[in-house]
Amino acid sequence: FTECMEAKHPVEIQNRHLLTVQQDCSANFNPPLSSSCVQVSQYACQRRTTLQDTNRIFTDAFDILAEYFEFSENKGRKVAFLRASSLIKSLPFPITAMKEVERLPWLGDQMKAIIEEILEEGKSYKVLELMSEERYKSFKQFTSVFGVGLKTSDKWYRMGFRTLEDIKNEKELKLTKMQKCGFLYYEDITSSVSWAEAETTDQLIKSIVWKFVPDAVVTLTGGFRRGKKNGHDVDIIITCPRKGKEKNILHNTISVLKNQGLLLFSDIIESTFVETKLPSKHVDALDHFQKAFLILKLPTQQTAIGDIIDPCGCEGRKWKAVRLDLVITPYEQYSYALLGWTGSRQFERDLRRYTTHERKMMLDNHGLYDKSKKVFLKASNEEEIFEHLGLDYLEPWERNA
Ligand code: DCT
Ligand code: MG
């Protein structure tokens, strides 16, 4: 928390929401592609963050620290490290000296010390030390299982378990159906989903949905929409321009998957969406749309475009267990839901923070509420949402904050 406070000041003193890092360009006749005249907003929604992270050595360290603080239930410091990491991901130059990060927002003294250590030593002993802590190592293993979050990890840790082997050996331990599947398909699920697998999944779902509802809009979203070549799951969002026609899509699709023998696990969450409800103040809140968390038995021999793929090196086996999230939205909310499900998570956090603090509006996956005019603002695409917010449009691949 102190880290946040520390970093917040210089930003707000200079400009309400845009900090300009001006370094001396005039003295340099042939400026390198580096820190000269870089504009860095404190909000990820005002930065273009592509997948080209030239500072991975630093952002990896910060992401690990964010995870470390998540595991130790220190939300303030988790968010502080995620913000700092996200900010560095947007820099168009590799950091080579401390003076280049001196005036960047969100970087507190502890963070700068880590950057300095990495610049000098090529690694951070502080980060390595925290990573070797027992709690971090155990939580890292536990949370890698589908269906195991912080709560279960904490419970298992308190019970004295330290490794996944410990859990597997304890036959008395009660596991949810989701967690049982998590262990059963552990290798497949923890090996990342490739672009080709995401595409196969997308085409499979489209072919099923379009049989029932030919004008349904089916969009591959999440990290793959942002251009990632790998992901931990496939996220697909579905709607239909004809009001109400989206309602049966989820159950029908899941029935077909089941009948085709392509479904290994499903957890269906029914919609709790109410049109008049104000956007949630809780930034990380899940939305109220109907959705399903699935594990597919994805055929891996041949993709629809004809490439032979062998994702997990599992020759002889003709399928791979792949995690799929399906989200169904009414047409009116689709643009907001798409914006939300495209992510990244940090981009979404900052977009909502920006909306609240700079626009006095409220944003979530269902809509945008203008508090002064007391109205919900309609949007038929993502561009219109950026327009409502007075933001330059960012393409999905520029939202990798
Ligand atoms: N999302 C959200 N709120 C949640 C869960 C998800 O806004 N509680 C959004 C943010 C990203 C998107 O949904 C998809 O979530 P993930 O699949 O977890 O993220 P991803 O960016 O697709 O990452 P990965 O490539 O690992 O799947
Ligand atoms: Mg995803």
Side-chain angles (χ1 to χ4, degrees):
F1 184 66
T2 44
E3 199 96 41
C4 311
M5 295 310 288
E6 228 178 294
K8 195 162 179 175
H9 251 285
V11 188
E12 296 198 334
I13 290 167
Q14 299 233 353
N15 185 314
R16 238 189 109 57
H17 55 266
L18 195 68
L19 173 76
T20 307
V21 181
Q22 288 275 350
Q23 299 201 348
D24 188 11
C25 304
S26 55
N28 197 336
F29 291 107
N30 198 0
L33 186 66
S34 76
S35 58
S36 333
C37 307
V38 180
Q39 280 207 325
V40 186
S41 165
Q42 63 139 318
Y43 294 109
C45 52
Q46 291 185 312
R47 307 191 290 255
R48 295 181 196 274
T49 313
T50 64
L51 288 166
Q52 207 159 22
D53 178 4
T54 51
N55 287 296
R56 188 145 289 148
I57 191 164
F58 305 104
T59 55
D60 279 352
F62 281 20
D63 287 342
I64 289 167
L65 287 172
E67 195 177 40
Y68 174 88
F69 288 116
E70 178 175 34
F71 294 165
S72 32
E73 286 165 64
N74 188 335
K75 188 153 185 256
R77 296 187 84 187
K78 169 193 147 183
V79 169
F81 274 99
L82 287 177
R83 274 181 190 162
S85 168
S86 164
L87 184 115
I88 295 174
K89 280 176 191 154
S90 75
L91 296 179
F93 58 88
I95 298 169
T96 55
M98 286 311 288
K99 67 175 189 319
E100 296 163 348
V101 297
E102 239 159 44
R103 299 175 64 199
L104 294 178
W106 302 129
L107 297 182
D109 289 344
Q110 198 196 6
M111 294 169 181
K112 286 184 179 147
I114 291 164
I115 294 177
E116 192 159 27
E117 201 186 1
I118 295 175
L119 281 174
E120 282 167 9
E121 308 281 338
K123 59 184 145 197
S124 163
Y125 291 99
K126 180 75 199 156
V127 176
L128 290 172
E129 186 190 313
L130 296 178
M131 279 174 81
S132 67
E133 278 184 18
E134 200 165 38
R135 185 181 165 95
Y136 176 83
K137 288 195 292 188
S138 296
F139 270 59
K140 188 80 188 152
Q141 287 187 51
F142 296 161
T143 54
S144 72
V145 180
F146 175 52
V148 180
L150 293 179
K151 223 174 90 191
T152 307
S153 299
D154 188 59
K155 190 176 87 189
W156 288 351
Y157 193 79
R158 281 167 199 269
M159 287 166 84
F161 300 116
R162 293 293 178 266
T163 66
L164 290 181
E165 283 311 305
D166 292 348
I167 304 292
K168 283 189 232 169
N169 291 335
E170 182 59 57
K171 301 291 178 223
E172 300 300 298
L173 201 63
K174 263 214 133 353
L175 299 178
T176 64
K177 203 172 146 235
M178 205 183 230
Q179 291 161 354
K180 281 181 192 157
C181 284
F183 277 106
L184 200 54
Y185 307 113
Y186 184 78
E187 301 301 331
D188 278 10
I189 294 178
T190 50
S191 82
S192 66
V193 181
S194 67
W195 171 256
E197 287 158 356
E199 186 136 89
T200 309
T201 306
D202 186 41
Q203 288 178 10
L204 171 72
I205 298 302
K206 279 178 173 148
S207 71
I208 297 172
V209 171
W210 285 341
K211 282 212 178 89
F212 299 114
V213 185
D215 56 340
V217 182
V218 182
T219 311
L220 180 63
T221 178
F224 289 109
R225 185 162 183 253
R226 301 197 309 276
K228 280 177 67 177
K229 294 281 171 271
N230 293 287
H232 95 281
D233 66 356
V234 182
D235 305 287
I236 293 178
I237 182 163
I238 304 171
T239 188
C240 179
R242 282 177 297 140
K243 202 173 163 74
K245 293 294 175 206
E246 75 284 355
K247 284 191 177 149
N248 292 322
I249 292 178
L250 189 67
H251 287 275
N252 287 339
T253 304
I254 288 175
S255 295
V256 173
L257 288 169
K258 212 179 269 176
N259 293 339
Q260 292 184 353
L262 296 176
L263 194 65
L264 297 171
F265 171 84
S266 70
D267 180 18
I268 302 176
I269 316 283
E270 292 302 337
S271 167
T272 52
F273 174 63
V274 185
E275 223 159 297
T276 51
K277 211 171 183 172
L278 287 183
S280 163
K281 283 193 184 130
H282 179 45
V283 174
D284 287 320
L286 259 182
D287 59 50
H288 296 279
F289 298 122
Q290 187 192 34
K291 57 177 76 67
F293 305 114
L294 311 174
I295 302 177
L296 289 192
K297 186 174 178 176
L298 192 73
T300 53
Q301 286 302 293
Q302 196 137 21
T303 68
I305 48 169
D307 301 333
I308 302 295
I309 49 170
D310 181 22
C312 45
C314 40
E315 289 120 286
R317 228 180 64 191
K318 293 185 173 55
W319 58 274
K320 180 187 174 188
V322 169
R323 276 272 301 110
L324 166 65
D325 288 349
L326 292 180
V327 187
I328 316 292
T329 80
Y331 198 64
E332 283 220 0
Q333 281 73 42
Y334 173 72
S335 303
Y336 287 100
L338 179 64
L339 178 65
W341 276 84
T342 299
S344 70
R345 277 168 197 261
Q346 189 54 32
F347 177 84
E348 302 300 328
R349 277 191 203 106
D350 272 10
L351 190 61
R352 291 179 195 191
R353 195 165 56 84
Y354 172 88
T355 306
T356 306
H357 296 295
E358 306 298 338
R359 294 286 167 231
K360 307 284 174 274
M361 296 185 190
M362 294 163 91
L363 173 74
D364 67 8
N365 286 1
H366 317 94
L368 178 63
Y369 183 74
D370 186 327
K371 287 202 282 188
S372 50
K373 293 185 188 143
K374 295 195 168 65
V375 288
F376 284 94
L377 302 175
K378 287 194 191 312
S380 49
N381 53 47
E382 289 175 314
E383 282 89 342
E384 288 181 17
I385 305 175
F386 279 80
E387 228 164 86
H388 287 321
L389 294 171
L391 287 169
D392 287 343
Y393 182 65
L394 295 186
E395 297 287 352
W397 53 90
E398 295 171 321
R399 301 179 206 159
N400 285 291

